[in-house]
Amino acid sequence: MRFSGARTAMGLAAAAALAATAFGLGGCVNPIRMNPDFGEAVGQDTVAQVADPDARYSGPIRTSGKRVAGAESRYEKDQVIQPSSTGAANEVVGGTAPAGAEAGAGASMGAGPTPQ
């Protein structure tokens, strides 16, 4: 009697293992058809952000060694000159521009009243 109980338990364990395997393999099926290039966005972004190692310029690169040396010296002394403006801070899209500022791109597109 004891022998048949152990056999039944082994049969149940084997059935449970078989069922778990079947359910596990069911997860490997991909019912959604995707384009072959799906997932290549990261690779394309990486390529877009890598500098060209063999860059060619049409004219001379204008730079000033004195200005670069001064900027490096200020950086080392923690006296960096902050930019006065990035240019986009004064832009207004769909609203009233601050006094003395020009209207942003939205003002001419019907997004709001044009400042007078």
Side-chain angles (χ1 to χ4, degrees), residues 1-13:
M1 192 92 170
R2 183 174 181 185
F3 181 70
S4 66
R7 209 174 212 183
T8 305
M10 283 182 56
L12 287 174

Side-chain angles (χ1 to χ4, degrees), residues 24-66:
L25 289 176
C28 296
V29 176
N30 187 0
I32 300 173
R33 293 186 179 251
M34 296 184 190
N35 290 340
D37 64 345
F38 181 79
E40 290 187 13
V42 173
Q44 291 172 355
D45 290 344
T46 302
V47 169
Q49 295 177 22
V50 173
D52 185 2
D54 191 26
R56 309 243 184 232
Y57 300 97
S58 59
I61 300 173
R62 298 181 184 263
T63 185
S64 168
K66 290 180 182 179

Side-chain angles (χ1 to χ4, degrees), residues 64-86:
S64 168
K66 290 180 182 179
R67 290 186 68 182
V68 171
E72 183 179 356
S73 174
R74 287 190 305 273
Y75 177 78
E76 289 173 351
K77 296 175 186 174
D78 199 24
Q79 299 173 342
V80 177
I81 299 172
Q82 297 297 323
S84 60
S85 167
T86 59

Side-chain angles (χ1 to χ4, degrees), residues 91-98 102-108 110-116:
E91 295 291 326
V92 174
V93 177
T96 306
E102 295 181 10
S108 64
T114 304
Q116 300 282 331

